């Protein structure tokens, strides 16, 4: 397997050729800004029908608060329990109360969780499983943080979460056990080999199985790997999964794996069920995007896949009958495109009948799926970030109508959208969507 140079969204062929002749760089922020001028010039898939219509409902939305004070761009966000965690380009992990009212009443100090073992490599993705936080880094590693709860001795006497790095993946035992057999080595660049448990480029995305037993990691080295959460053992590595860097990975509730790549493709993987065979194999390839696929999101039951790319479009894919897949039509079909962003789509998150998209045009768009599931409306455009929106998280607003927030209307569902940007800010938005 040949090692690729760090791939970034919206590379042109000339940029990629130039990169191959330059020393390997881990300065992702610099590289992203250097390519930003080409982002808006990508085609927007004119041959794909548009699903989005004009806003047909009255949707209330507002910016509730801005979390500032971070020293570097925000690359990843994840929600768990009552907290939101942010990962930045300088490896800082920060924790905040996810309730906007609590954020407004605090000064956000003392929220630095840790700096990863002195490493300064950016945190590309994070996920929380039980009492552990997994962070994916540009230095090719996955770090595991134990979340411990102790009681503060101050007058407030409330729980404080303490974090301790308990493992770095692959673990020493995993690496050591693979050293002595030639079959465990794969070629990572010309005349250089490495054991298959190692990622050899930035780990770009993490996902977790529905039961929480398995962690999936995708990398710019064109592989994705499966890890057992209980002991952090690497169970499988799918090498040469794509022809270019893998930027996103998601896993459905039935165990189907989707990977999105800079090679413009989305690939669909399934584990073999034959006795003694536990490897993933390719069951379909989706090839409608015309530029790097940067983001993927699934609805709750895994029947709809959303993909965002540098072509400024969000494509909507729907699962079809398995019999059609066996006839060679693929396990998913393209329904259409959501358009409106003027630059690359960098992140996606889906909840209920909503999907939120963050873009290099500095905005977030909120899309609602219609009753017939093939019509969408853009409910809101959230503007306020000064630089590209790199990551999103979303939650139900269980305290709607309280603590001074809108909206007491029982005919609305309220959501909180958290956005992280290269401008170093995290913003919290409230979206109130009519039920009808």
């Amino acid at each position: 397997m040949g090692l690729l140079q760090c791939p970034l969204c919206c590379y042109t062929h000339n940029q990629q050729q130039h990169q191959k002749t330059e020393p390997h760089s881990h300065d992702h922020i610099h590289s992203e800004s250097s390519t930003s001028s080409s982002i808006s010039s990508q085609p927007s898939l004119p041959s794909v029908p548009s699903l989005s219509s004009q806003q047909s409902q009255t949707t209330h939305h507002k910016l509730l608060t801005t979390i500032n004070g971070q020293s570097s761009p925000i690359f990843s966000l994840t929600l768990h329990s009552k907290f939101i965690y942010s990962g930045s380009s300088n490896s800082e992990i920060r924790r905040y109360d996810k309730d906007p009212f609590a954020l407004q009443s605090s000064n956000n100090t003392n929220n630095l969780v840790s700096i990863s073992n002195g490493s300064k490599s950016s945190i590309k993705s994070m996920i929380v499983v039980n009492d552990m936080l997994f962070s994916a880094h540009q230095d090719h590693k996955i770090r595991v943080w134990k979340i411990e709860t102790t009681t503060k001795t101050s007058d407030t006497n409330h729980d404080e979460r303490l974090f301790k790095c308990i493992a770095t993946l692959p673990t020493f035992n995993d690496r050591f056990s693979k050293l002595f057999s030639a079959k465990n080595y794969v070629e990572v660049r010309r005349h250089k080999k490495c054991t298959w448990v190692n990622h050899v480029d930035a780990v770009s995305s993490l996902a977790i199985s529905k039961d929480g037993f398995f962690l999936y990691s995708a990398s710019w080295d064109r592989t994705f790997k499966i890890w057992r959460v209980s002991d952090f053992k690497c169970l499988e590595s799918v090498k040469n999964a794509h022809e270019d860097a893998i930027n996103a990975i998601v896993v459905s509730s039935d165990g189907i794996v989707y990977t999105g790549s800079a090679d413009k493709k989305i690939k669909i993987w399934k584990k073999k069920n034959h006795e003694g065979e536990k490897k993933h194999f390719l069951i379909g390839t989706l090839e409608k995007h015309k530029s790097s696929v940067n983001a993927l999101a699934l609805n709750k039951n895994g029947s709809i896949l959303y993909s965002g790319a540098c072509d400024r479009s969000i494509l909507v894919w729907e699962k079809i009958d398995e019999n059609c897949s066996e006839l060679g039509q693929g396990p998913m079909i393209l329904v259409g495109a959501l358009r409106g962003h003027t630059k690359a789509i960098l992140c996606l998150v889906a909840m209920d009948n909503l999907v939120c998209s963050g873009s290099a045009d500095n905005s977030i768009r909120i899309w609602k799926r219609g009753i017939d599931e093939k019509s969408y409306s853009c409910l809101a455009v959230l503007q306020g970030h000064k630089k590209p929106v790199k990551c999103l998280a979303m939650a139900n607003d269980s305290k709607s109508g309280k603590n001074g927030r809108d909206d007491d209307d029982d005919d609305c569902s309220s959501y909180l959208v958290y956005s992280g940007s290269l401008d170093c800010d995290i913003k919290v938005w409230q979206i109130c969507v009519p039920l009808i």
Side-chain angles (χ1 to χ4, degrees), residues 18 52 55 72 75 93 117 151 153 169 195 224 227-228 254 264 310 336 349 364 375 398 402 415 428:
H18 176 70
S52 52
Q55 180 174 331
S72 60
F75 274 14
I93 301 173
N117 296 341
T151 303
T153 57
L169 308 187
T195 56
F224 72 91
W227 313 78
R228 190 163 55 205
D254 59 359
K264 311 175 188 178
C310 290
V349 64
I364 302 114
S375 65
S398 59
K402 301 177 182 180
Y415 299 86
V428 187

Side-chain angles (χ1 to χ4, degrees), residues 209 219 244 328 419:
S209 62
S219 172
D244 207 334
S419 56

Side-chain angles (χ1 to χ4, degrees), residues 27 48 117 125 129 139 226 232 242 274 308 348:
D27 190 355
V48 179
N117 296 341
S125 181
V129 184
D139 66 2
I226 298 92
F232 313 134
H242 283 268
H274 302 301
L348 294 168

Side-chain angles (χ1 to χ4, degrees), residues 139-342:
D139 66 2
H140 318 171
K141 304 296 184 183
I142 302 168
R143 292 181 171 85
V144 189
W145 306 86
K146 177 75 171 179
I147 306 173
E148 298 176 343
T149 304
T150 60
T151 303
K152 293 182 70 174
T153 57
S154 63
D155 294 336
T156 55
N157 195 36
H158 67 275
D159 285 344
E160 180 183 50
R161 295 292 180 100
L162 301 179
F163 288 71
K164 179 182 179 181
C165 187
I166 59 173
T168 300
L169 308 187
T171 63
F172 173 80
N173 288 340
D174 229 356
R175 289 181 283 117
F176 185 78
S177 66
K178 304 297 186 295
L179 288 177
F180 306 106
S181 175
K183 68 179 183 180
N184 290 323
Y185 285 80
V186 294
E187 187 175 0
V188 296
R189 61 169 65 94
R190 190 176 182 184
H191 304 312
K192 182 172 182 180
K193 292 186 176 182
C194 184
T195 56
W196 60 266
V197 297
N198 290 276
H199 279 303
V200 293
D201 208 332
V203 183
S204 55
S205 184
L206 298 175
I208 194 74
S209 62
K210 182 182 179 181
D211 56 17
F213 292 167
F214 303 105
L215 178 76
Y216 298 77
S217 62
S219 172
W220 288 352
D221 65 13
R222 301 184 293 169
T223 74
F224 72 91
K225 301 184 189 298
I226 298 92
W227 313 78
R228 190 163 55 205
V229 170
S230 60
D231 60 1
F232 313 134
K233 181 179 178 62
C234 187
L235 302 177
E236 181 185 355
S237 178
V238 180
K239 66 178 182 178
N240 297 323
H242 283 268
E243 298 168 8
D244 207 334
I246 304 176
N247 295 323
I249 186 168
V250 291
V251 183
S252 68
S253 56
D254 59 359
I256 303 298
V257 179
Y258 301 85
T259 53
S261 169
D263 65 9
K264 311 175 188 178
K265 299 174 184 177
I266 302 162
K267 292 190 176 183
I268 309 172
W269 310 84
K270 185 177 181 180
K271 184 185 290 186
K272 292 182 179 178
N273 294 322
H274 302 301
E275 185 176 353
E277 182 60 75
K278 299 181 180 180
K279 303 298 184 182
H280 285 76
F281 67 102
L282 183 68
I283 62 172
T285 301
L286 310 178
E287 300 189 64
K288 285 293 184 179
H289 280 294
K290 301 300 182 184
S291 55
S292 173
V293 179
N294 299 321
L296 299 173
L298 285 166
N299 69 339
K300 186 175 181 179
N301 65 11
S303 62
I304 302 175
L305 174 72
Y306 301 95
S307 58
C310 290
D311 51 33
R312 298 178 279 157
S313 297
I314 303 156
L315 295 189
V316 182
W317 311 84
E318 286 190 4
K319 186 175 288 188
I320 60 176
D321 188 86
E322 290 185 0
N323 293 329
C324 294
S325 179
E326 292 173 0
L327 293 174
Q329 298 180 26
M332 282 199 151
I333 59 170
L334 177 63
V335 179
L338 304 179
R339 295 187 175 90
H341 284 295
T342 59

